[in-house]
Amino acid sequence: MIAGKVNEWLGLGANVAVLVGIVFLVFELRSNTESNRIALTTQFSSNWVAINSDVATNRELAAVVQKAVAGAELDEVESIQLDFFIQQRAAQAAMMRRLYQEGFATREDVHRAYQSLRRFAIYDTFREAFLRGQSERNQRMILEEDGVEWWLDAVDSGEKAD
């Protein structure tokens, strides 16, 4: 009889310990998720600083961007520089799309990521580079007025937008 009571108390203690462990695990998961969000946001911001510092600190690249904006003819090297300039921004936007799909970014984050691409899309030289170097989805998101909203709405409704 005493052994049965001890067994019951031990079982109750074990169950309470399991519940406490589960509660602790939930708090740890929440904390870890928030830490991941902060790390991703920091990485995203650091990427933008690096991308923008390329133009801010490199007169040659800034001159290529200015020539492209002005519609001037680019030589082969300048065309390569422009393509990489665009690819850096497109890679950053792609990362933001993935983060949005995983629930780590907001609609506004995706809009901001595409804003720099869309800002240059009005210029013919950039538009031509977008058309030769980006997927159909990216072209739509960059070149069409509602392109980013189209993609976000498709993702939110469960449609395949990629």
Side-chain angles (χ1 to χ4, degrees):
M1 184 123 168
I2 293 177
K5 287 286 185 190
V6 169
N7 237 359
E8 285 179 18
W9 281 105
L10 287 175
L12 179 63
N15 288 337
V16 168
V18 167
L19 287 175
V20 168
I22 290 172
V23 168
F24 177 75
L25 183 60
V26 167
F27 284 119
E28 280 297 309
L29 285 173
R30 285 187 181 171
S31 175
N32 190 34
T33 300
E34 189 58 31
S35 294
N36 286 340
R37 285 182 195 274
I38 291 167
L40 288 169
T41 301
T42 301
Q43 182 64 46
F44 186 66
S45 295
S46 296
N47 288 353
W48 273 124
V49 168
I51 288 169
N52 289 325
S53 72
D54 284 351
V55 176
T57 61
N58 183 335
R59 287 188 67 78
E60 186 178 296
L61 180 57
V64 169
V65 171
Q66 182 54 42
K67 276 180 82 172
V69 166
E73 184 90 20
L74 301 179
D75 64 29
E76 287 182 32
V77 171
E78 291 169 333
S79 291
I80 291 169
Q81 283 183 301
L82 181 65
D83 285 346
F84 278 100
F85 173 85
I86 291 167
Q87 287 175 21
Q88 283 181 314
R89 283 155 177 75
Q92 184 78 339
M95 182 176 80
M96 193 51 57
R97 281 195 326 270
R98 286 189 297 277
L99 292 176
Y100 181 78
Q101 289 173 311
E102 297 298 323
F104 288 106
T106 66
R107 291 175 76 91
E108 186 58 34
D109 292 330
V110 177
H111 276 287
R112 275 195 304 268
Y114 275 88
Q115 185 176 13
S116 74
L117 291 165
R118 292 183 47 77
R119 178 175 8 146
F120 291 108
I122 62 172
Y123 303 106
D124 291 338
T125 306
F126 284 94
R127 182 177 295 271
E128 290 167 12
F130 291 146
L131 291 174
R132 77 174 165 264
Q134 298 298 313
S135 68
E136 185 177 318
R137 179 210 51 241
N138 266 351
Q139 288 177 18
R140 183 171 182 182
M141 291 179 76
I142 294 166
L143 301 174
E144 293 182 15
E145 185 65 34
D146 69 339
V148 174
E149 273 307 306
W150 157 79
W151 183 84
L152 290 166
D153 290 343
V155 169
D156 289 347
S157 67
E159 295 175 35
K160 184 169 171 54
D162 286 331

